[in-house]
Amino acid sequence: MNTIYDISARTNVGADFYLLLGDFLDSFYRSSDNEKTEMIAAAPCDMSKPEHLPFLASVAHKLADDCGMKPPDWVFDNRCYLPGDKPHFACNAKGNLRLWFMYKSPPKFKHRNLFVDENVLSRV
């Protein structure tokens, strides 16, 4: 089973964060409710890029809410938030794209000072 913890551990040994996230989302959306709970239950390990841990917390928190599940306690840990003076914008956004992300970013991401597109967890 693919888990949030697996994304962090595999990223730390050189795997691509966003490819792993895509694989995780594909697995999550086709899993049973019990499997979904297990997939987000374990906290990720510390990661080298400061935005990755808050990003995974945002993913787990939003997916839990979207599925009517209680989010795991680890998503509220202080290490899962970027400092207020260090926002992270997807795609190294500049100018109007930053404004777009600030407007469209899901609340679970904004809450952690991450600004992404509204469909960040969508798969085709």
Side-chain angles (χ1 to χ4, degrees):
M1 181 183 318
N2 203 351
T3 68
I4 289 284
Y5 176 84
D6 294 336
I7 296 171
S8 65
R10 293 178 61 200
T11 298
N12 283 342
V13 295
D16 184 272
F17 178 79
Y18 294 102
L19 287 176
L20 294 172
L21 178 63
D23 289 344
F24 168 83
L25 291 170
D26 289 341
S27 296
F28 185 87
Y29 290 133
R30 67 175 178 259
S31 296
S32 70
D33 288 346
N34 287 340
E35 290 170 328
K36 288 176 180 178
T37 300
E38 290 177 37
M39 292 173 77
I40 63 172
C45 51
D46 287 333
M47 304 178 76
S48 60
K49 288 194 175 181
E51 69 273 10
H52 282 174
L53 189 57
F55 197 95
L56 290 176
S58 300
V59 168
H61 197 170
K62 182 165 182 359
L63 289 173
D65 279 4
D66 289 352
C67 294
M69 303 182 312
K70 179 185 178 294
D73 290 339
W74 66 263
V75 303
F76 303 107
D77 190 298
N78 285 338
R79 67 188 186 110
C80 294
Y81 294 84
L82 286 175
D85 62 340
K86 302 279 188 207
H88 176 77
F89 290 87
C91 309
N92 292 318
K94 305 284 186 233
N96 287 340
L97 186 55
R98 279 189 175 211
L99 294 174
W100 179 258
F101 287 159
M102 290 172 73
Y103 176 67
K104 289 294 190 173
S105 191
K108 302 305 183 224
F109 287 80
K110 283 183 190 179
H111 180 69
R112 291 178 175 83
N113 216 13
L114 295 165
F115 299 94
V116 298
D117 196 32
E118 64 189 323
N119 65 359
V120 67
L121 302 182
S122 297
R123 301 297 290 163
V124 291

